[in-house]
Amino acid sequence: MLPTPGRPVPKPTLQMSTEQKTKPVSSEKVRSDSAASVRGKSRIVAVSLLLVITLVSGSVHAYLDGRFVDQELAGRRAEAITALPTSFGDWTMISEEQLDGAASELLRPHGSIVRNYRNSESGATVKFAMILGPRGPVAVHTPEICYRSTGNAPSGARRATEIKTEQHTHQAWTLEFKDKQSGEASLHVLYAWSDGGAFAAAEQPRFWMVENLYKIQLASPSLGDGTNHGLQFLTDFMPLLEKCIL
């Protein structure tokens, strides 16, 4: 079409489409931004999860160590331990000791006794210890650990032994030790735990769902006659222990 005479000829204009005006975003940048966003969210999730794990593990550890304790009840039970008889049957206490300082710091007992008894008939002596304390430390402190530092070593695997009374059937671990240097039999040792019921030769008492544990441990010298005098003592003493804790 020809321009009309007398009218100015319009200047041609260059128009660009929206697609032409907008610079396309590269796929690499989109992926980069998306990855950065994912990494940021992942960090938040990781930090939150770590915080939760820390809080939960701390609470579980405190519970297993028996830090949430009824102090009044623990005190009454500790008094019952100290009231155990010093003489019964053929057995008489000949001396009493305090729990070793290092052991006391480790076990944090609410109550404990360490006594030496002698049998008037056989002349045999037995060291008897009983403690009430937080489940965690009381459960993991065993003779296999403490007697190694006294020049003794287990001469075989421990085995469970039953002690029966009129009311209950108890169990205790029995273990023989030998002198590290001479290799000769040196000690008969028994130990067991209770949560307030029958004593047990337990594998993992730390995971019992109770605040505190009782533990008994006996050691008697090996006299070479094959007799476990500690087992004799515990058989005679167990009915009295039942009155203390059951």
Side-chain angles (χ1 to χ4, degrees):
M1 178 178 180
L2 296 176
T4 304
R7 290 185 179 181
V9 178
K11 295 181 179 180
T13 59
L14 180 63
Q15 294 184 349
M16 297 179 64
S17 66
T18 304
E19 290 78 4
Q20 291 174 314
K21 291 180 181 180
T22 304
K23 185 178 180 180
V25 179
S26 67
S27 59
E28 288 78 5
K29 179 172 176 53
V30 172
R31 286 195 296 269
S32 176
D33 291 345
S34 177
S37 176
V38 170
R39 285 195 298 270
K41 292 179 180 178
S42 298
R43 290 192 189 98
I44 294 174
V45 172
V47 171
S48 300
L49 184 59
L50 181 61
L51 180 60
V52 170
I53 291 174
T54 301
L55 292 173
V56 171
S57 63
S59 298
V60 170
H61 188 269
Y63 183 74
L64 290 176
D65 275 354
R67 297 177 194 171
F68 309 126
V69 174
D70 184 335
Q71 296 293 341
E72 183 178 352
L73 177 60
R76 291 198 302 270
R77 290 177 172 174
E79 290 177 1
I81 292 176
T82 59
L84 284 167
T86 57
S87 180
F88 61 96
D90 294 330
W91 298 94
T92 301
M93 186 183 77
I94 55 176
S95 64
E96 188 165 13
E97 307 169 15
Q98 295 295 319
L99 190 65
D100 176 80
S104 182
E105 183 177 351
L106 174 66
L107 299 174
R108 307 194 305 274
H110 305 301
S112 66
I113 57 172
V114 181
R115 296 175 178 175
N116 294 289
Y117 288 84
R118 176 182 287 127
N119 187 290
S120 59
E121 291 295 321
S122 66
T125 58
V126 171
K127 180 184 287 291
F128 172 78
M130 182 173 182
I131 62 174
L132 169 68
R135 175 187 57 254
V138 171
V140 300
H141 190 69
T142 63
E144 289 91 329
I145 297 174
C146 61
Y147 278 108
R148 288 181 186 275
S149 62
T150 63
N152 296 284
S155 59
R158 66 183 184 179
R159 60 186 184 278
T161 301
E162 286 190 349
I163 301 99
K164 294 184 178 181
T165 67
E166 293 181 359
Q167 303 296 327
H168 298 278
T169 297
H170 304 268
Q171 281 191 330
W173 289 117
T174 302
L175 187 62
E176 280 74 43
F177 283 82
K178 62 182 179 181
D179 184 271
K180 288 182 179 179
Q181 293 184 344
S182 67
E184 296 180 355
S186 56
L187 291 171
H188 294 290
V189 176
L190 294 98
Y191 62 102
W193 295 273
S194 168
D195 59 1
F199 280 93
E203 293 285 353
Q204 296 290 343
R206 186 179 185 186
F207 297 105
W208 291 358
M209 293 295 101
V210 292
E211 294 177 343
N212 296 305
L213 285 178
Y214 293 96
K215 182 189 175 189
I216 54 173
Q217 183 168 305
L218 302 88
S220 59
S222 177
L223 302 180
D225 58 1
T227 302
N228 188 333
H229 295 285
L231 182 57
Q232 284 187 337
F233 174 92
L234 192 55
T235 301
D236 294 340
F237 200 40
M238 190 59 81
L240 302 174
L241 284 176
E242 289 178 342
K243 294 179 181 179
C244 171
I245 68 170
L246 299 182

